[in-house]
Amino acid sequence: MAGLLLALAGCNAAMAPGGEASQRPDQTAPGAPLSVLEALPPEPGDPASATDGTAGATATAPAGLDEASAPVFGFERDLGVTTASLGDPTDAGFWALTPLTDEIRRGRLADPVSGKSVQVELRPSGGATGAGTRVSLSAMRALEVPLISLTNLKVYVSE
């Protein structure tokens, strides 16, 4: 493949009708040969640098999943994953109004994609389990999730 690219790179010179290469003043000299570009090492962590031909074909866990799942308090219980959105921005503090609890408790929200987590007060919403969770502005900012989108978050309760 490299030989073919080098051979094609040599075809840049325009041939004059007499079979001689003509050098027109507007032509520029070619840059570095392609072999130099091919010799560059791959970027660390670049999925395209796989040598077995399966670049991009392997599924990996989202970055930070282990950190998001690690308990911050001494004892935590996983309540599940919820679809979160911004709650009442005028209600200050770190809280989450969720159907995953039936009483006010201390807990934690974790973003499994970024690995960020935040301690919150879990408040019962009274809705169905799949109804979603409203999260305070302060907690959303601490998690660095977009304020105007729905985000899946893991919910933990402190015991």
Side-chain angles (χ1 to χ4, degrees):
M1 180 72 171
L4 178 63
L5 291 174
L6 288 175
L8 290 175
C11 293
N12 285 340
M15 298 297 286
E20 299 173 9
S22 67
Q23 293 293 331
R24 288 182 266 171
D26 60 330
Q27 287 183 332
T28 59
L34 293 176
S35 59
V36 172
L37 298 176
E38 292 172 2
L40 294 176
E43 293 290 324
D46 184 8
S49 66
T51 58
D52 62 355
T54 61
T58 58
T60 58
L65 184 60
D66 291 339
E67 292 126 19
S69 301
V72 175
F73 291 128
F75 299 101
E76 286 186 323
R77 185 168 41 98
D78 184 354
L79 294 180
V81 177
T82 186
T83 302
S85 62
L86 180 62
D88 182 1
T90 62
D91 189 356
F94 291 86
W95 52 266
L97 189 61
T98 181
L100 299 177
T101 186
D102 55 358
E103 61 183 339
I104 296 177
R105 305 180 78 167
R106 285 183 48 181
R108 178 171 66 97
L109 300 176
D111 181 2
V113 175
S114 70
K116 296 193 179 295
S117 67
V118 62
Q119 304 298 319
V120 295
E121 177 183 81
L122 297 175
R123 301 174 182 172
S125 67
T129 303
T133 298
R134 300 285 188 177
V135 180
S136 71
L137 179 61
S138 299
M140 294 282 277
R141 284 184 175 162
L143 290 169
E144 296 180 3
V145 295
L147 300 177
I148 59 171
S149 69
L150 300 176
T151 304
N152 288 331
L153 298 176
K154 291 188 84 164
V155 181
Y156 298 90
V157 63
S158 300
E159 306 219 330

